[in-house]
Amino acid sequence: MNVLLCGDIGAADFGAWQQALQAALPEARWLDLAAARADPAAVVAAVVANPLPGSLAGRPNLRLIQSLWAGVDRLLADATLPPGVPLARMVDPAMTAAMAETALWATLALHRGFFAYAQRQREGRWRVHAQRRADEVRVSVLGRGQLGSEAARRIAQQGYRTRAWSLREGPPLASLLAETDIVINLLPLTPATRGLIDAGFLAVLPPQASVVNLARGGHVVDADLLAALDSGRLRHAVLDVFHTEPLPAGHAFWQHPRVMLLPHAAALTDPRSAALIAAANLRAARDGLPLSNLVDRAKGY
Ligand code: GLV
């Protein structure tokens, strides 16, 4: 079984992934893009991490495209993605737990003002601010998939007034946002959610609310978010994802005193567990068995 392995994997990580996948599926031969180019018809499956557009074109015998990333928006935006080939996203309890930890950390830090204290330390200022209880803080998690549901569960467990929302379930977004102190975005990026966090969205949040974006940069209209931060209406933003990654040097988010920035690190795919999950799906594809975690291309996730 020849499997293409490609995407946003550094040279060092490529070896680690190849090793983990090899251990999980010893009968497979793992090819990089250059090796797969020699005989495109020999490739029967692809394991990909946010690959560049065009990576999967011209492979007539593909039976499965298994993503190592949870979000498959870049794959679906690739006009050369072979139609009709099953596409599976990564659903890994280890990644789900990591994402819930990040969402919980952001909630705790925003609620207790720890980012503001970090800023005061840099300024050499000793000043205490008021302390609220967790049950006084309203947290809304956008997204009710694997990641959003678990994040909401963990946050609710800590006593926060937590609500979960998706395009299909939940109250109208504006009424939810009007009663939200911390909004955490874990939606898939689709045509329906692109640019969701814009001036209109931010205007319905109460003054001094905070935004946490752990999903995709494309959900946010950067200029609108910056305007809300600069005006002081929005207390803080925790941002893990950006329109362009790495975030370009000089971007206003880098030095903004109200922005806590992560380098797309909220929940990394862990080769130790994800390789086993990918291998199980590859075996199922080889044996004609039902596949797990399939993406509905029409829905976009
Ligand atoms: C990371 O952003 C992922 O989609 O797994």
Side-chain angles (χ1 to χ4, degrees):
M1 184 179 200
N2 289 323
V3 186
L4 169 68
L5 171 62
C6 69
D8 200 351
I9 308 172
D13 286 349
F14 192 90
W17 270 110
Q18 208 171 16
Q19 219 172 22
L21 289 163
Q22 189 76 61
L25 194 65
E27 63 268 38
R29 244 181 90 221
W30 300 93
L31 310 175
D32 62 14
L33 271 174
R37 212 166 285 131
D39 187 3
V43 174
V44 295
V47 172
V48 299
N50 208 33
L52 286 173
S55 305
L56 296 164
R59 306 189 187 280
N61 295 321
L62 268 188
R63 268 183 257 162
L64 170 65
I65 301 165
Q66 170 68 55
S67 173
L68 294 175
W69 280 35
V72 290
D73 39 287
R74 195 206 259 186
L75 273 166
L76 291 178
D78 179 356
T80 72
L81 187 72
V85 178
L87 168 62
R89 69 207 164 83
M90 181 49 63
V91 177
D92 179 350
M95 186 198 271
T96 305
M99 188 60 94
E101 286 159 8
T102 304
L104 183 56
W105 155 79
T107 301
L108 287 163
L110 291 165
H111 153 216
R112 296 292 309 280
F114 294 140
F115 298 129
Y117 282 133
Q119 180 66 23
R120 282 181 209 149
Q121 179 185 349
R122 284 190 288 275
E123 296 163 359
R125 285 170 60 214
W126 180 283
R127 191 168 77 76
V128 173
H129 52 235
Q131 182 179 297
R132 285 179 300 165
R133 298 192 314 258
D135 67 1
E136 295 173 303
V137 180
R138 301 162 298 179
V139 182
S140 295
V141 179
L142 309 186
R144 302 180 72 129
Q146 312 278 339
L147 300 177
S149 303
E150 178 60 8
R153 193 186 70 77
R154 292 283 297 275
I155 292 165
Q157 221 173 36
Q158 303 307 316
Y160 292 98
R161 283 164 61 189
T162 313
R163 289 201 283 177
W165 180 91
S166 74
L167 282 179
R168 289 181 174 73
E169 286 175 90
L173 183 57
S175 59
L176 177 87
L177 294 174
E179 297 176 351
T180 293
D181 301 305
I182 300 172
V183 57
I184 301 178
N185 179 33
L186 279 168
L187 288 164
L189 183 63
T190 69
T193 63
R194 182 174 290 280
L196 184 76
I197 303 175
D198 63 1
F201 178 108
L202 296 164
V204 274
L205 286 169
Q208 294 301 294
S210 296
V211 169
V212 180
N213 187 21
L214 307 178
R216 285 291 182 263
H219 286 120
V220 174
V221 178
D222 285 1
D224 294 356
L225 183 65
L226 281 165
L229 288 164
D230 287 340
S231 72
R233 201 176 169 280
L234 201 62
R235 182 191 295 270
H236 220 94
V238 177
L239 305 174
D240 181 53
V241 285
F242 304 92
H243 283 268
T244 305
E245 297 180 4
L247 184 67
H251 192 289
F253 288 149
W254 274 115
Q255 301 298 337
H256 202 289
R258 294 174 188 271
V259 172
M260 167 75 211
L261 183 156
L262 299 170
H264 201 141
L268 306 179
T269 310
D270 185 334
R272 293 168 298 181
S273 47
L276 296 173
I277 292 165
N281 236 7
L282 290 169
R283 277 201 193 93
R286 181 197 58 197
D287 300 340
L289 296 171
L291 299 167
S292 303
N293 307 320
L294 288 178
V295 170
D296 178 338
R297 293 195 190 200
K299 277 207 256 169
Y301 58 92

mmCIF file of all heavy atoms in Angstrom, residues 194-215:
data_model
loop_
_atom_site.group_PDB
_atom_site.id
_atom_site.type_symbol
_atom_site.label_atom_id
_atom_site.label_comp_id
_atom_site.label_asym_id
_atom_site.label_seq_id
_atom_site.Cartn_x
_atom_site.Cartn_y
_atom_site.Cartn_z
ATOM 1 N N ARG A 194 -16.868 32.372 7.516
ATOM 2 C CA ARG A 194 -15.739 33.271 7.207
ATOM 3 C C ARG A 194 -16.117 34.711 7.544
ATOM 4 O O ARG A 194 -17.203 35.168 7.199
ATOM 5 C CB ARG A 194 -15.376 33.151 5.714
ATOM 6 C CG ARG A 194 -14.201 33.994 5.297
ATOM 7 C CD ARG A 194 -13.801 33.725 3.853
ATOM 8 N NE ARG A 194 -13.207 32.403 3.683
ATOM 9 C CZ ARG A 194 -11.948 32.092 3.971
ATOM 10 N NH1 ARG A 194 -11.128 33.018 4.433
ATOM 11 N NH2 ARG A 194 -11.494 30.870 3.796
ATOM 12 N N GLY A 195 -15.253 35.392 8.249
ATOM 13 C CA GLY A 195 -15.508 36.794 8.571
ATOM 14 C C GLY A 195 -16.590 37.007 9.610
ATOM 15 O O GLY A 195 -17.069 38.130 9.798
ATOM 16 N N LEU A 196 -16.960 35.942 10.329
ATOM 17 C CA LEU A 196 -18.054 36.052 11.315
ATOM 18 C C LEU A 196 -17.727 37.089 12.395
ATOM 19 O O LEU A 196 -18.598 37.849 12.842
ATOM 20 C CB LEU A 196 -18.262 34.672 11.975
ATOM 21 C CG LEU A 196 -19.404 34.561 12.963
ATOM 22 C CD1 LEU A 196 -20.739 34.483 12.221
ATOM 23 C CD2 LEU A 196 -19.250 33.317 13.859
ATOM 24 N N ILE A 197 -16.445 37.113 12.820
ATOM 25 C CA ILE A 197 -16.073 38.021 13.911
ATOM 26 C C ILE A 197 -15.691 39.366 13.286
ATOM 27 O O ILE A 197 -14.524 39.660 13.010
ATOM 28 C CB ILE A 197 -14.945 37.395 14.758
ATOM 29 C CG1 ILE A 197 -15.421 36.030 15.291
ATOM 30 C CG2 ILE A 197 -14.530 38.325 15.904
ATOM 31 C CD1 ILE A 197 -14.386 35.230 16.057
ATOM 32 N N ASP A 198 -16.716 40.144 13.028
ATOM 33 C CA ASP A 198 -16.524 41.438 12.354
ATOM 34 C C ASP A 198 -17.065 42.559 13.255
ATOM 35 O O ASP A 198 -17.421 42.319 14.420
ATOM 36 C CB ASP A 198 -17.217 41.427 10.979
ATOM 37 C CG ASP A 198 -18.730 41.249 11.096
ATOM 38 O OD1 ASP A 198 -19.257 41.142 12.233
ATOM 39 O OD2 ASP A 198 -19.405 41.221 10.050
ATOM 40 N N ALA A 199 -17.156 43.749 12.709
ATOM 41 C CA ALA A 199 -17.592 44.894 13.526
ATOM 42 C C ALA A 199 -18.972 44.651 14.127
ATOM 43 O O ALA A 199 -19.222 44.980 15.299
ATOM 44 C CB ALA A 199 -17.584 46.156 12.671
ATOM 45 N N GLY A 200 -19.883 44.060 13.355
ATOM 46 C CA GLY A 200 -21.241 43.817 13.842
ATOM 47 C C GLY A 200 -21.240 42.849 15.016
ATOM 48 O O GLY A 200 -21.928 43.052 16.024
ATOM 49 N N PHE A 201 -20.473 41.800 14.874
ATOM 50 C CA PHE A 201 -20.339 40.790 15.937
ATOM 51 C C PHE A 201 -19.785 41.445 17.196
ATOM 52 O O PHE A 201 -20.317 41.278 18.301
ATOM 53 C CB PHE A 201 -19.369 39.718 15.410
ATOM 54 C CG PHE A 201 -19.018 38.583 16.329
ATOM 55 C CD1 PHE A 201 -19.513 37.300 16.106
ATOM 56 C CD2 PHE A 201 -18.128 38.757 17.388
ATOM 57 C CE1 PHE A 201 -19.152 36.229 16.919
ATOM 58 C CE2 PHE A 201 -17.769 37.697 18.211
ATOM 59 C CZ PHE A 201 -18.283 36.436 17.971
ATOM 60 N N LEU A 202 -18.726 42.212 17.034
ATOM 61 C CA LEU A 202 -18.048 42.806 18.195
ATOM 62 C C LEU A 202 -18.922 43.869 18.861
ATOM 63 O O LEU A 202 -18.864 44.061 20.081
ATOM 64 C CB LEU A 202 -16.707 43.394 17.755
ATOM 65 C CG LEU A 202 -15.715 42.334 17.222
ATOM 66 C CD1 LEU A 202 -14.582 42.993 16.446
ATOM 67 C CD2 LEU A 202 -15.181 41.474 18.359
ATOM 68 N N ALA A 203 -19.761 44.521 18.049
ATOM 69 C CA ALA A 203 -20.587 45.607 18.595
ATOM 70 C C ALA A 203 -21.675 45.077 19.520
ATOM 71 O O ALA A 203 -22.130 45.805 20.410
ATOM 72 C CB ALA A 203 -21.216 46.407 17.457
ATOM 73 N N VAL A 204 -22.117 43.828 19.309
ATOM 74 C CA VAL A 204 -23.181 43.323 20.196
ATOM 75 C C VAL A 204 -22.632 42.740 21.492
ATOM 76 O O VAL A 204 -23.388 42.536 22.453
ATOM 77 C CB VAL A 204 -24.127 42.293 19.519
ATOM 78 C CG1 VAL A 204 -25.232 42.977 18.791
ATOM 79 C CG2 VAL A 204 -23.402 41.316 18.642
ATOM 80 N N LEU A 205 -21.345 42.455 21.550
ATOM 81 C CA LEU A 205 -20.764 42.004 22.822
ATOM 82 C C LEU A 205 -20.859 43.135 23.836
ATOM 83 O O LEU A 205 -20.711 44.305 23.483
ATOM 84 C CB LEU A 205 -19.285 41.640 22.634
ATOM 85 C CG LEU A 205 -18.954 40.335 21.905
ATOM 86 C CD1 LEU A 205 -17.473 40.283 21.570
ATOM 87 C CD2 LEU A 205 -19.359 39.128 22.741
ATOM 88 N N PRO A 206 -21.061 42.812 25.118
ATOM 89 C CA PRO A 206 -21.068 43.888 26.119
ATOM 90 C C PRO A 206 -19.684 44.543 26.187
ATOM 91 O O PRO A 206 -18.686 43.900 25.847
ATOM 92 C CB PRO A 206 -21.360 43.158 27.434
ATOM 93 C CG PRO A 206 -21.733 41.768 27.078
ATOM 94 C CD PRO A 206 -21.255 41.489 25.704
ATOM 95 N N PRO A 207 -19.606 45.785 26.637
ATOM 96 C CA PRO A 207 -18.300 46.420 26.805
ATOM 97 C C PRO A 207 -17.429 45.564 27.728
ATOM 98 O O PRO A 207 -17.927 44.963 28.667
ATOM 99 C CB PRO A 207 -18.625 47.765 27.460
ATOM 100 C CG PRO A 207 -20.071 47.984 27.217
ATOM 101 C CD PRO A 207 -20.710 46.635 27.049
ATOM 102 N N GLN A 208 -16.142 45.520 27.424
ATOM 103 C CA GLN A 208 -15.150 44.790 28.241
ATOM 104 C C GLN A 208 -15.246 43.267 28.118
ATOM 105 O O GLN A 208 -14.744 42.533 28.964
ATOM 106 C CB GLN A 208 -15.231 45.209 29.715
ATOM 107 C CG GLN A 208 -14.825 46.662 29.906
ATOM 108 C CD GLN A 208 -13.397 46.894 29.400
ATOM 109 O OE1 GLN A 208 -12.448 46.371 29.937
ATOM 110 N NE2 GLN A 208 -13.251 47.678 28.324
ATOM 111 N N ALA A 209 -15.884 42.794 27.040
ATOM 112 C CA ALA A 209 -15.857 41.359 26.756
ATOM 113 C C ALA A 209 -14.505 41.005 26.119
ATOM 114 O O ALA A 209 -13.722 41.904 25.773
ATOM 115 C CB ALA A 209 -17.001 40.999 25.810
ATOM 116 N N SER A 210 -14.238 39.719 25.995
ATOM 117 C CA SER A 210 -12.999 39.265 25.371
ATOM 118 C C SER A 210 -13.293 38.223 24.309
ATOM 119 O O SER A 210 -14.288 37.494 24.394
ATOM 120 C CB SER A 210 -12.063 38.654 26.418
ATOM 121 O OG SER A 210 -11.671 39.633 27.351
ATOM 122 N N VAL A 211 -12.389 38.140 23.336
ATOM 123 C CA VAL A 211 -12.553 37.201 22.224
ATOM 124 C C VAL A 211 -11.369 36.242 22.221
ATOM 125 O O VAL A 211 -10.218 36.663 22.336
ATOM 126 C CB VAL A 211 -12.595 37.971 20.876
ATOM 127 C CG1 VAL A 211 -12.503 37.017 19.696
ATOM 128 C CG2 VAL A 211 -13.865 38.809 20.785
ATOM 129 N N VAL A 212 -11.688 34.962 22.091
ATOM 130 C CA VAL A 212 -10.641 33.937 21.999
ATOM 131 C C VAL A 212 -10.837 33.226 20.662
ATOM 132 O O VAL A 212 -11.885 32.620 20.437
ATOM 133 C CB VAL A 212 -10.768 32.925 23.165
ATOM 134 C CG1 VAL A 212 -9.683 31.853 23.074
ATOM 135 C CG2 VAL A 212 -10.714 33.646 24.516
ATOM 136 N N ASN A 213 -9.856 33.298 19.774
ATOM 137 C CA ASN A 213 -9.993 32.616 18.490
ATOM 138 C C ASN A 213 -8.992 31.483 18.388
ATOM 139 O O ASN A 213 -7.792 31.703 18.253
ATOM 140 C CB ASN A 213 -9.807 33.589 17.323
ATOM 141 C CG ASN A 213 -10.132 32.900 15.993
ATOM 142 O OD1 ASN A 213 -10.845 31.886 15.971
ATOM 143 N ND2 ASN A 213 -9.613 33.429 14.900
ATOM 144 N N LEU A 214 -9.527 30.256 18.468
ATOM 145 C CA LEU A 214 -8.684 29.063 18.406
ATOM 146 C C LEU A 214 -8.993 28.269 17.136
ATOM 147 O O LEU A 214 -8.584 27.117 17.022
ATOM 148 C CB LEU A 214 -8.936 28.180 19.635
ATOM 149 C CG LEU A 214 -8.811 28.874 21.002
ATOM 150 C CD1 LEU A 214 -9.140 27.895 22.130
ATOM 151 C CD2 LEU A 214 -7.419 29.456 21.188
ATOM 152 N N ALA A 215 -9.725 28.886 16.196
ATOM 153 C CA ALA A 215 -10.207 28.118 15.040
ATOM 154 C C ALA A 215 -9.397 28.432 13.775
ATOM 155 O O ALA A 215 -8.449 27.709 13.441
ATOM 156 C CB ALA A 215 -11.682 28.386 14.855
#
